Amino acid sequence: SSHAEIVAQKTEEVQSTKEQLETIETSYEALKLKLLETEASLEAAKAEHEETKEAHLEGQLDLTMQTGVLLATQAKVKAMERDRADIQEQFDMVANELDVAKSLLDQQEEERTNLEAKLVEGERIVQMLKDEQETLAFEKEAIVSSHEQVLCRLEEERDALRAQVEELGAAKKTLE
């Protein structure tokens, strides 16, 4: 039963690790989505920056206003690139946590499988010992029964010899 408790404990550990893995996978997917959104925003900001630059070069807007817009879009692109780098770092950390959790889960599953195999082997040995015990009890019963039969036969032979001794004693008295 201690093997069964250990298997149950390992099963709980595996379930706990699976739940942690699901939580990490959820974070991973959320960060992945955030990263894609940030990259899309970054691309849009870069495109806006390029359009502004082209418009500036073509002289369509007032030079002073255009320079201000150009600097603002450039700052926006740089800020988004920093955000993207931060999110990528978080994303990489979560991906690493996910790998570690998956590895732990695999290890726990293997331990649980090994314990289950040991439990099955232990139960097989217990059953084998029970069968052996039954066989020995049956053999003991057969030996006891055989001894009782031999004892009965010896008692019958003894009684027969006593009767013969008595007959011989009576015959002797008759002869005397």
Side-chain angles (χ1 to χ4, degrees):
S1 91
S2 81
H3 277 300
E5 289 169 5
I6 293 170
V7 170
Q9 182 184 352
K10 276 293 165 196
T11 303
E12 285 177 25
E13 287 178 17
V14 167
Q15 184 58 37
S16 170
T17 303
K18 280 184 181 175
E19 289 168 7
Q20 290 174 359
L21 189 60
E22 287 172 10
T23 302
I24 292 169
E25 284 176 339
T26 303
S27 299
Y28 177 84
E29 291 302 320
L31 281 171
K32 196 170 167 183
L33 188 62
K34 191 173 177 184
L35 185 61
L36 290 174
E37 289 171 358
T38 303
E39 285 176 348
S41 297
L42 180 60
E43 289 305 313
K46 283 180 179 177
E48 182 184 338
H49 179 64
E50 285 303 313
E51 287 171 15
T52 305
K53 213 159 80 175
E54 286 172 18
H56 175 69
L57 293 173
E58 293 170 10
Q60 292 176 349
L61 297 173
D62 176 64
L63 184 62
T64 308
M65 187 182 100
Q66 186 61 34
T67 303
V69 171
L70 187 63
L71 291 173
T73 58
Q74 197 171 27
K76 190 175 173 183
V77 167
K78 285 186 190 225
M80 289 182 139
E81 283 175 341
R82 279 192 305 275
D83 287 350
R84 180 185 174 279
D86 290 346
I87 292 170
Q88 182 67 51
E89 190 177 325
Q90 288 179 338
F91 181 79
D92 292 344
M93 279 173 31
V94 170
N96 189 41
E97 285 178 21
L98 190 61
D99 289 343
V100 169
K102 283 180 181 176
S103 174
L104 179 63
L105 181 64
D106 290 345
Q107 180 185 343
Q108 288 177 344
E109 283 283 7
E110 187 179 336
E111 287 175 7
R112 187 174 67 86
T113 301
N114 290 341
L115 285 170
E116 283 176 342
K118 285 180 183 174
L119 181 62
V120 168
E121 177 64 11
E123 288 170 351
R124 188 188 67 76
I125 290 170
V126 166
Q127 187 56 48
M128 201 172 70
L129 291 172
K130 283 182 182 175
D131 293 347
E132 183 69 21
Q133 192 177 21
E134 284 177 21
T135 302
L136 290 173
F138 180 74
E139 287 175 2
K140 177 185 166 194
E141 211 173 283
I143 290 169
V144 167
S145 175
S146 171
H147 284 186
E148 286 173 352
Q149 289 173 357
V150 168
L151 191 60
C152 282
R153 200 175 65 242
L154 289 173
E155 286 174 352
E156 288 169 4
E157 288 177 17
R158 182 196 67 200
D159 292 344
L161 287 172
R162 277 189 184 153
Q164 284 180 347
V165 167
E166 285 174 13
E167 283 176 23
L168 287 174
K172 182 180 170 194
K173 279 187 181 178
T174 304
L175 289 175
E176 290 174 350

PDB file of all heavy atoms in Angstrom, residues 12-45:
ATOM      1  N   GLU A  12      -0.288  13.123  -8.255  1.00  0.00           N
ATOM      2  CA  GLU A  12      -0.628  14.491  -7.858  1.00  0.00           C
ATOM      3  C   GLU A  12       0.440  15.470  -8.332  1.00  0.00           C
ATOM      4  O   GLU A  12       0.125  16.554  -8.822  1.00  0.00           O
ATOM      5  CB  GLU A  12      -0.755  14.579  -6.335  1.00  0.00           C
ATOM      6  CG  GLU A  12      -2.036  13.974  -5.789  1.00  0.00           C
ATOM      7  CD  GLU A  12      -2.097  14.013  -4.260  1.00  0.00           C
ATOM      8  OE1 GLU A  12      -1.428  14.882  -3.648  1.00  0.00           O
ATOM      9  OE2 GLU A  12      -2.819  13.179  -3.688  1.00  0.00           O
ATOM     10  N   GLU A  13       1.724  15.092  -8.179  1.00  0.00           N
ATOM     11  CA  GLU A  13       2.815  15.963  -8.634  1.00  0.00           C
ATOM     12  C   GLU A  13       2.719  16.200 -10.134  1.00  0.00           C
ATOM     13  O   GLU A  13       2.885  17.325 -10.606  1.00  0.00           O
ATOM     14  CB  GLU A  13       4.178  15.337  -8.311  1.00  0.00           C
ATOM     15  CG  GLU A  13       4.537  15.376  -6.839  1.00  0.00           C
ATOM     16  CD  GLU A  13       5.872  14.690  -6.554  1.00  0.00           C
ATOM     17  OE1 GLU A  13       6.659  14.482  -7.500  1.00  0.00           O
ATOM     18  OE2 GLU A  13       6.133  14.372  -5.373  1.00  0.00           O
ATOM     19  N   VAL A  14       2.427  15.128 -10.871  1.00  0.00           N
ATOM     20  CA  VAL A  14       2.303  15.239 -12.331  1.00  0.00           C
ATOM     21  C   VAL A  14       1.156  16.182 -12.674  1.00  0.00           C
ATOM     22  O   VAL A  14       1.288  17.070 -13.519  1.00  0.00           O
ATOM     23  CB  VAL A  14       2.095  13.848 -12.967  1.00  0.00           C
ATOM     24  CG1 VAL A  14       1.646  13.982 -14.417  1.00  0.00           C
ATOM     25  CG2 VAL A  14       3.374  13.035 -12.903  1.00  0.00           C
ATOM     26  N   GLN A  15       0.008  16.042 -11.972  1.00  0.00           N
ATOM     27  CA  GLN A  15      -1.151  16.905 -12.234  1.00  0.00           C
ATOM     28  C   GLN A  15      -0.797  18.360 -11.932  1.00  0.00           C
ATOM     29  O   GLN A  15      -1.119  19.257 -12.700  1.00  0.00           O
ATOM     30  CB  GLN A  15      -2.349  16.437 -11.388  1.00  0.00           C
ATOM     31  CG  GLN A  15      -3.624  17.213 -11.675  1.00  0.00           C
ATOM     32  CD  GLN A  15      -4.053  17.138 -13.130  1.00  0.00           C
ATOM     33  OE1 GLN A  15      -3.913  16.127 -13.792  1.00  0.00           O
ATOM     34  NE2 GLN A  15      -4.575  18.224 -13.651  1.00  0.00           N
ATOM     35  N   SER A  16      -0.111  18.593 -10.813  1.00  0.00           N
ATOM     36  CA  SER A  16       0.290  19.947 -10.433  1.00  0.00           C
ATOM     37  C   SER A  16       1.206  20.549 -11.498  1.00  0.00           C
ATOM     38  O   SER A  16       1.041  21.702 -11.902  1.00  0.00           O
ATOM     39  CB  SER A  16       0.993  19.908  -9.077  1.00  0.00           C
ATOM     40  OG  SER A  16       1.569  21.151  -8.805  1.00  0.00           O
ATOM     41  N   THR A  17       2.158  19.759 -11.962  1.00  0.00           N
ATOM     42  CA  THR A  17       3.084  20.237 -12.995  1.00  0.00           C
ATOM     43  C   THR A  17       2.323  20.522 -14.286  1.00  0.00           C
ATOM     44  O   THR A  17       2.600  21.507 -14.965  1.00  0.00           O
ATOM     45  CB  THR A  17       4.200  19.194 -13.246  1.00  0.00           C
ATOM     46  OG1 THR A  17       4.861  18.945 -12.003  1.00  0.00           O
ATOM     47  CG2 THR A  17       5.205  19.714 -14.248  1.00  0.00           C
ATOM     48  N   LYS A  18       1.338  19.658 -14.609  1.00  0.00           N
ATOM     49  CA  LYS A  18       0.531  19.895 -15.823  1.00  0.00           C
ATOM     50  C   LYS A  18      -0.203  21.235 -15.713  1.00  0.00           C
ATOM     51  O   LYS A  18      -0.263  22.001 -16.670  1.00  0.00           O
ATOM     52  CB  LYS A  18      -0.490  18.771 -16.019  1.00  0.00           C
ATOM     53  CG  LYS A  18       0.088  17.523 -16.636  1.00  0.00           C
ATOM     54  CD  LYS A  18      -0.997  16.489 -16.883  1.00  0.00           C
ATOM     55  CE  LYS A  18      -0.435  15.219 -17.473  1.00  0.00           C
ATOM     56  NZ  LYS A  18      -1.432  14.164 -17.623  1.00  0.00           N
ATOM     57  N   GLU A  19      -0.749  21.523 -14.504  1.00  0.00           N
ATOM     58  CA  GLU A  19      -1.459  22.789 -14.311  1.00  0.00           C
ATOM     59  C   GLU A  19      -0.496  23.972 -14.448  1.00  0.00           C
ATOM     60  O   GLU A  19      -0.828  24.984 -15.057  1.00  0.00           O
ATOM     61  CB  GLU A  19      -2.139  22.791 -12.937  1.00  0.00           C
ATOM     62  CG  GLU A  19      -3.328  21.843 -12.874  1.00  0.00           C
ATOM     63  CD  GLU A  19      -3.848  21.612 -11.450  1.00  0.00           C
ATOM     64  OE1 GLU A  19      -3.373  22.295 -10.513  1.00  0.00           O
ATOM     65  OE2 GLU A  19      -4.732  20.750 -11.300  1.00  0.00           O
ATOM     66  N   GLN A  20       0.709  23.839 -13.869  1.00  0.00           N
ATOM     67  CA  GLN A  20       1.718  24.901 -14.009  1.00  0.00           C
ATOM     68  C   GLN A  20       2.072  25.098 -15.481  1.00  0.00           C
ATOM     69  O   GLN A  20       2.207  26.223 -15.955  1.00  0.00           O
ATOM     70  CB  GLN A  20       2.983  24.545 -13.224  1.00  0.00           C
ATOM     71  CG  GLN A  20       2.806  24.593 -11.731  1.00  0.00           C
ATOM     72  CD  GLN A  20       4.032  24.092 -10.984  1.00  0.00           C
ATOM     73  OE1 GLN A  20       5.008  23.693 -11.598  1.00  0.00           O
ATOM     74  NE2 GLN A  20       3.981  24.112  -9.663  1.00  0.00           N
ATOM     75  N   LEU A  21       2.206  23.977 -16.178  1.00  0.00           N
ATOM     76  CA  LEU A  21       2.536  24.008 -17.605  1.00  0.00           C
ATOM     77  C   LEU A  21       1.444  24.750 -18.378  1.00  0.00           C
ATOM     78  O   LEU A  21       1.743  25.589 -19.224  1.00  0.00           O
ATOM     79  CB  LEU A  21       2.681  22.573 -18.111  1.00  0.00           C
ATOM     80  CG  LEU A  21       3.224  22.355 -19.505  1.00  0.00           C
ATOM     81  CD1 LEU A  21       4.624  22.939 -19.621  1.00  0.00           C
ATOM     82  CD2 LEU A  21       3.273  20.866 -19.823  1.00  0.00           C
ATOM     83  N   GLU A  22       0.172  24.465 -18.060  1.00  0.00           N
ATOM     84  CA  GLU A  22      -0.937  25.146 -18.743  1.00  0.00           C
ATOM     85  C   GLU A  22      -0.886  26.651 -18.474  1.00  0.00           C
ATOM     86  O   GLU A  22      -1.095  27.460 -19.375  1.00  0.00           O
ATOM     87  CB  GLU A  22      -2.269  24.564 -18.281  1.00  0.00           C
ATOM     88  CG  GLU A  22      -2.540  23.174 -18.846  1.00  0.00           C
ATOM     89  CD  GLU A  22      -3.769  22.522 -18.238  1.00  0.00           C
ATOM     90  OE1 GLU A  22      -4.540  23.210 -17.516  1.00  0.00           O
ATOM     91  OE2 GLU A  22      -3.959  21.323 -18.477  1.00  0.00           O
ATOM     92  N   THR A  23      -0.585  27.037 -17.218  1.00  0.00           N
ATOM     93  CA  THR A  23      -0.494  28.459 -16.864  1.00  0.00           C
ATOM     94  C   THR A  23       0.627  29.126 -17.661  1.00  0.00           C
ATOM     95  O   THR A  23       0.447  30.207 -18.229  1.00  0.00           O
ATOM     96  CB  THR A  23      -0.219  28.613 -15.345  1.00  0.00           C
ATOM     97  OG1 THR A  23      -1.259  27.962 -14.630  1.00  0.00           O
ATOM     98  CG2 THR A  23      -0.142  30.070 -14.949  1.00  0.00           C
ATOM     99  N   ILE A  24       1.776  28.457 -17.716  1.00  0.00           N
ATOM    100  CA  ILE A  24       2.921  29.006 -18.463  1.00  0.00           C
ATOM    101  C   ILE A  24       2.584  29.095 -19.943  1.00  0.00           C
ATOM    102  O   ILE A  24       2.876  30.097 -20.602  1.00  0.00           O
ATOM    103  CB  ILE A  24       4.189  28.143 -18.228  1.00  0.00           C
ATOM    104  CG1 ILE A  24       4.653  28.298 -16.770  1.00  0.00           C
ATOM    105  CG2 ILE A  24       5.307  28.565 -19.157  1.00  0.00           C
ATOM    106  CD1 ILE A  24       5.723  27.310 -16.363  1.00  0.00           C
ATOM    107  N   GLU A  25       1.911  28.045 -20.476  1.00  0.00           N
ATOM    108  CA  GLU A  25       1.539  28.067 -21.898  1.00  0.00           C
ATOM    109  C   GLU A  25       0.588  29.219 -22.193  1.00  0.00           C
ATOM    110  O   GLU A  25       0.704  29.879 -23.223  1.00  0.00           O
ATOM    111  CB  GLU A  25       0.898  26.735 -22.297  1.00  0.00           C
ATOM    112  CG  GLU A  25       1.919  25.622 -22.473  1.00  0.00           C
ATOM    113  CD  GLU A  25       1.286  24.266 -22.770  1.00  0.00           C
ATOM    114  OE1 GLU A  25       0.090  24.069 -22.468  1.00  0.00           O
ATOM    115  OE2 GLU A  25       1.999  23.411 -23.313  1.00  0.00           O
ATOM    116  N   THR A  26      -0.340  29.502 -21.248  1.00  0.00           N
ATOM    117  CA  THR A  26      -1.270  30.620 -21.420  1.00  0.00           C
ATOM    118  C   THR A  26      -0.490  31.939 -21.472  1.00  0.00           C
ATOM    119  O   THR A  26      -0.724  32.777 -22.351  1.00  0.00           O
ATOM    120  CB  THR A  26      -2.302  30.642 -20.269  1.00  0.00           C
ATOM    121  OG1 THR A  26      -2.981  29.391 -20.245  1.00  0.00           O
ATOM    122  CG2 THR A  26      -3.299  31.759 -20.452  1.00  0.00           C
ATOM    123  N   SER A  27       0.451  32.123 -20.527  1.00  0.00           N
ATOM    124  CA  SER A  27       1.298  33.330 -20.521  1.00  0.00           C
ATOM    125  C   SER A  27       2.090  33.417 -21.819  1.00  0.00           C
ATOM    126  O   SER A  27       2.222  34.490 -22.412  1.00  0.00           O
ATOM    127  CB  SER A  27       2.274  33.297 -19.347  1.00  0.00           C
ATOM    128  OG  SER A  27       1.597  33.270 -18.131  1.00  0.00           O
ATOM    129  N   TYR A  28       2.617  32.279 -22.234  1.00  0.00           N
ATOM    130  CA  TYR A  28       3.416  32.193 -23.464  1.00  0.00           C
ATOM    131  C   TYR A  28       2.588  32.659 -24.665  1.00  0.00           C
ATOM    132  O   TYR A  28       3.025  33.494 -25.448  1.00  0.00           O
ATOM    133  CB  TYR A  28       3.876  30.745 -23.622  1.00  0.00           C
ATOM    134  CG  TYR A  28       4.666  30.441 -24.871  1.00  0.00           C
ATOM    135  CD1 TYR A  28       6.036  30.670 -24.928  1.00  0.00           C
ATOM    136  CD2 TYR A  28       4.050  29.889 -25.995  1.00  0.00           C
ATOM    137  CE1 TYR A  28       6.772  30.374 -26.057  1.00  0.00           C
ATOM    138  CE2 TYR A  28       4.774  29.584 -27.129  1.00  0.00           C
ATOM    139  CZ  TYR A  28       6.137  29.826 -27.159  1.00  0.00           C
ATOM    140  OH  TYR A  28       6.849  29.521 -28.281  1.00  0.00           O
ATOM    141  N   GLU A  29       1.362  32.121 -24.774  1.00  0.00           N
ATOM    142  CA  GLU A  29       0.499  32.494 -25.901  1.00  0.00           C
ATOM    143  C   GLU A  29       0.127  33.976 -25.842  1.00  0.00           C
ATOM    144  O   GLU A  29       0.103  34.657 -26.872  1.00  0.00           O
ATOM    145  CB  GLU A  29      -0.771  31.619 -25.914  1.00  0.00           C
ATOM    146  CG  GLU A  29      -0.510  30.164 -26.259  1.00  0.00           C
ATOM    147  CD  GLU A  29       0.168  29.961 -27.612  1.00  0.00           C
ATOM    148  OE1 GLU A  29      -0.177  30.669 -28.579  1.00  0.00           O
ATOM    149  OE2 GLU A  29       1.052  29.097 -27.688  1.00  0.00           O
ATOM    150  N   ALA A  30      -0.151  34.488 -24.613  1.00  0.00           N
ATOM    151  CA  ALA A  30      -0.509  35.906 -24.463  1.00  0.00           C
ATOM    152  C   ALA A  30       0.669  36.804 -24.879  1.00  0.00           C
ATOM    153  O   ALA A  30       0.481  37.792 -25.592  1.00  0.00           O
ATOM    154  CB  ALA A  30      -0.911  36.192 -23.021  1.00  0.00           C
ATOM    155  N   LEU A  31       1.865  36.440 -24.440  1.00  0.00           N
ATOM    156  CA  LEU A  31       3.048  37.227 -24.814  1.00  0.00           C
ATOM    157  C   LEU A  31       3.320  37.141 -26.309  1.00  0.00           C
ATOM    158  O   LEU A  31       3.736  38.121 -26.940  1.00  0.00           O
ATOM    159  CB  LEU A  31       4.274  36.750 -24.031  1.00  0.00           C
ATOM    160  CG  LEU A  31       4.360  37.254 -22.592  1.00  0.00           C
ATOM    161  CD1 LEU A  31       5.474  36.544 -21.851  1.00  0.00           C
ATOM    162  CD2 LEU A  31       4.594  38.754 -22.567  1.00  0.00           C
ATOM    163  N   LYS A  32       3.074  35.966 -26.862  1.00  0.00           N
ATOM    164  CA  LYS A  32       3.280  35.775 -28.303  1.00  0.00           C
ATOM    165  C   LYS A  32       2.344  36.726 -29.079  1.00  0.00           C
ATOM    166  O   LYS A  32       2.770  37.402 -30.016  1.00  0.00           O
ATOM    167  CB  LYS A  32       2.957  34.305 -28.630  1.00  0.00           C
ATOM    168  CG  LYS A  32       3.463  33.807 -29.952  1.00  0.00           C
ATOM    169  CD  LYS A  32       3.253  32.298 -29.970  1.00  0.00           C
ATOM    170  CE  LYS A  32       3.418  31.710 -31.329  1.00  0.00           C
ATOM    171  NZ  LYS A  32       3.130  30.272 -31.321  1.00  0.00           N
ATOM    172  N   LEU A  33       1.082  36.770 -28.613  1.00  0.00           N
ATOM    173  CA  LEU A  33       0.101  37.653 -29.251  1.00  0.00           C
ATOM    174  C   LEU A  33       0.520  39.119 -29.079  1.00  0.00           C
ATOM    175  O   LEU A  33       0.480  39.903 -30.041  1.00  0.00           O
ATOM    176  CB  LEU A  33      -1.281  37.408 -28.620  1.00  0.00           C
ATOM    177  CG  LEU A  33      -2.459  38.090 -29.275  1.00  0.00           C
ATOM    178  CD1 LEU A  33      -2.625  37.606 -30.717  1.00  0.00           C
ATOM    179  CD2 LEU A  33      -3.736  37.811 -28.493  1.00  0.00           C
ATOM    180  N   LYS A  34       0.953  39.490 -27.862  1.00  0.00           N
ATOM    181  CA  LYS A  34       1.374  40.863 -27.590  1.00  0.00           C
ATOM    182  C   LYS A  34       2.570  41.229 -28.470  1.00  0.00           C
ATOM    183  O   LYS A  34       2.652  42.348 -28.994  1.00  0.00           O
ATOM    184  CB  LYS A  34       1.733  40.991 -26.102  1.00  0.00           C
ATOM    185  CG  LYS A  34       1.936  42.412 -25.630  1.00  0.00           C
ATOM    186  CD  LYS A  34       2.111  42.453 -24.122  1.00  0.00           C
ATOM    187  CE  LYS A  34       2.397  43.856 -23.640  1.00  0.00           C
ATOM    188  NZ  LYS A  34       2.663  43.900 -22.197  1.00  0.00           N
ATOM    189  N   LEU A  35       3.480  40.265 -28.637  1.00  0.00           N
ATOM    190  CA  LEU A  35       4.657  40.487 -29.479  1.00  0.00           C
ATOM    191  C   LEU A  35       4.228  40.731 -30.928  1.00  0.00           C
ATOM    192  O   LEU A  35       4.720  41.662 -31.580  1.00  0.00           O
ATOM    193  CB  LEU A  35       5.588  39.265 -29.382  1.00  0.00           C
ATOM    194  CG  LEU A  35       6.932  39.353 -30.096  1.00  0.00           C
ATOM    195  CD1 LEU A  35       7.766  40.494 -29.533  1.00  0.00           C
ATOM    196  CD2 LEU A  35       7.692  38.036 -29.937  1.00  0.00           C
ATOM    197  N   LEU A  36       3.288  39.931 -31.419  1.00  0.00           N
ATOM    198  CA  LEU A  36       2.799  40.114 -32.798  1.00  0.00           C
ATOM    199  C   LEU A  36       2.124  41.475 -32.963  1.00  0.00           C
ATOM    200  O   LEU A  36       2.339  42.176 -33.959  1.00  0.00           O
ATOM    201  CB  LEU A  36       1.825  38.988 -33.164  1.00  0.00           C
ATOM    202  CG  LEU A  36       2.441  37.596 -33.334  1.00  0.00           C
ATOM    203  CD1 LEU A  36       1.352  36.558 -33.556  1.00  0.00           C
ATOM    204  CD2 LEU A  36       3.424  37.575 -34.502  1.00  0.00           C
ATOM    205  N   GLU A  37       1.305  41.850 -31.942  1.00  0.00           N
ATOM    206  CA  GLU A  37       0.628  43.155 -32.001  1.00  0.00           C
ATOM    207  C   GLU A  37       1.656  44.294 -32.001  1.00  0.00           C
ATOM    208  O   GLU A  37       1.518  45.274 -32.748  1.00  0.00           O
ATOM    209  CB  GLU A  37      -0.318  43.308 -30.805  1.00  0.00           C
ATOM    210  CG  GLU A  37      -1.547  42.428 -30.875  1.00  0.00           C
ATOM    211  CD  GLU A  37      -2.349  42.431 -29.570  1.00  0.00           C
ATOM    212  OE1 GLU A  37      -1.928  43.081 -28.588  1.00  0.00           O
ATOM    213  OE2 GLU A  37      -3.396  41.759 -29.553  1.00  0.00           O
ATOM    214  N   THR A  38       2.673  44.167 -31.144  1.00  0.00           N
ATOM    215  CA  THR A  38       3.714  45.200 -31.057  1.00  0.00           C
ATOM    216  C   THR A  38       4.479  45.304 -32.377  1.00  0.00           C
ATOM    217  O   THR A  38       4.780  46.408 -32.847  1.00  0.00           O
ATOM    218  CB  THR A  38       4.682  44.896 -29.901  1.00  0.00           C
ATOM    219  OG1 THR A  38       3.921  44.790 -28.695  1.00  0.00           O
ATOM    220  CG2 THR A  38       5.724  45.973 -29.733  1.00  0.00           C
ATOM    221  N   GLU A  39       4.795  44.138 -32.956  1.00  0.00           N
ATOM    222  CA  GLU A  39       5.508  44.151 -34.237  1.00  0.00           C
ATOM    223  C   GLU A  39       4.648  44.810 -35.325  1.00  0.00           C
ATOM    224  O   GLU A  39       5.158  45.575 -36.145  1.00  0.00           O
ATOM    225  CB  GLU A  39       5.900  42.722 -34.640  1.00  0.00           C
ATOM    226  CG  GLU A  39       7.076  42.207 -33.833  1.00  0.00           C
ATOM    227  CD  GLU A  39       7.449  40.759 -34.136  1.00  0.00           C
ATOM    228  OE1 GLU A  39       6.669  40.070 -34.814  1.00  0.00           O
ATOM    229  OE2 GLU A  39       8.535  40.349 -33.694  1.00  0.00           O
ATOM    230  N   ALA A  40       3.319  44.540 -35.300  1.00  0.00           N
ATOM    231  CA  ALA A  40       2.418  45.149 -36.286  1.00  0.00           C
ATOM    232  C   ALA A  40       2.393  46.676 -36.089  1.00  0.00           C
ATOM    233  O   ALA A  40       2.467  47.443 -37.061  1.00  0.00           O
ATOM    234  CB  ALA A  40       1.020  44.559 -36.156  1.00  0.00           C
ATOM    235  N   SER A  41       2.293  47.096 -34.795  1.00  0.00           N
ATOM    236  CA  SER A  41       2.297  48.539 -34.502  1.00  0.00           C
ATOM    237  C   SER A  41       3.618  49.171 -34.921  1.00  0.00           C
ATOM    238  O   SER A  41       3.659  50.282 -35.437  1.00  0.00           O
ATOM    239  CB  SER A  41       2.085  48.782 -33.000  1.00  0.00           C
ATOM    240  OG  SER A  41       0.832  48.314 -32.601  1.00  0.00           O
ATOM    241  N   LEU A  42       4.701  48.444 -34.674  1.00  0.00           N
ATOM    242  CA  LEU A  42       6.028  48.934 -35.052  1.00  0.00           C
ATOM    243  C   LEU A  42       6.123  49.105 -36.562  1.00  0.00           C
ATOM    244  O   LEU A  42       6.611  50.137 -37.045  1.00  0.00           O
ATOM    245  CB  LEU A  42       7.095  47.951 -34.540  1.00  0.00           C
ATOM    246  CG  LEU A  42       8.547  48.290 -34.832  1.00  0.00           C
ATOM    247  CD1 LEU A  42       8.926  49.637 -34.214  1.00  0.00           C
ATOM    248  CD2 LEU A  42       9.468  47.190 -34.283  1.00  0.00           C
ATOM    249  N   GLU A  43       5.642  48.117 -37.281  1.00  0.00           N
ATOM    250  CA  GLU A  43       5.652  48.219 -38.751  1.00  0.00           C
ATOM    251  C   GLU A  43       4.812  49.410 -39.216  1.00  0.00           C
ATOM    252  O   GLU A  43       5.224  50.154 -40.119  1.00  0.00           O
ATOM    253  CB  GLU A  43       5.140  46.911 -39.386  1.00  0.00           C
ATOM    254  CG  GLU A  43       6.108  45.743 -39.249  1.00  0.00           C
ATOM    255  CD  GLU A  43       7.491  46.023 -39.794  1.00  0.00           C
ATOM    256  OE1 GLU A  43       7.608  46.549 -40.929  1.00  0.00           O
ATOM    257  OE2 GLU A  43       8.480  45.737 -39.085  1.00  0.00           O
ATOM    258  N   ALA A  44       3.645  49.600 -38.580  1.00  0.00           N
ATOM    259  CA  ALA A  44       2.779  50.733 -38.947  1.00  0.00           C
ATOM    260  C   ALA A  44       3.489  52.065 -38.654  1.00  0.00           C
ATOM    261  O   ALA A  44       3.453  52.991 -39.474  1.00  0.00           O
ATOM    262  CB  ALA A  44       1.461  50.653 -38.184  1.00  0.00           C
ATOM    263  N   ALA A  45       4.147  52.132 -37.491  1.00  0.00           N
ATOM    264  CA  ALA A  45       4.858  53.367 -37.121  1.00  0.00           C
ATOM    265  C   ALA A  45       6.019  53.631 -38.082  1.00  0.00           C
ATOM    266  O   ALA A  45       6.265  54.779 -38.477  1.00  0.00           O
ATOM    267  CB  ALA A  45       5.367  53.261 -35.683  1.00  0.00           C
TER     268      ALA A  45
END
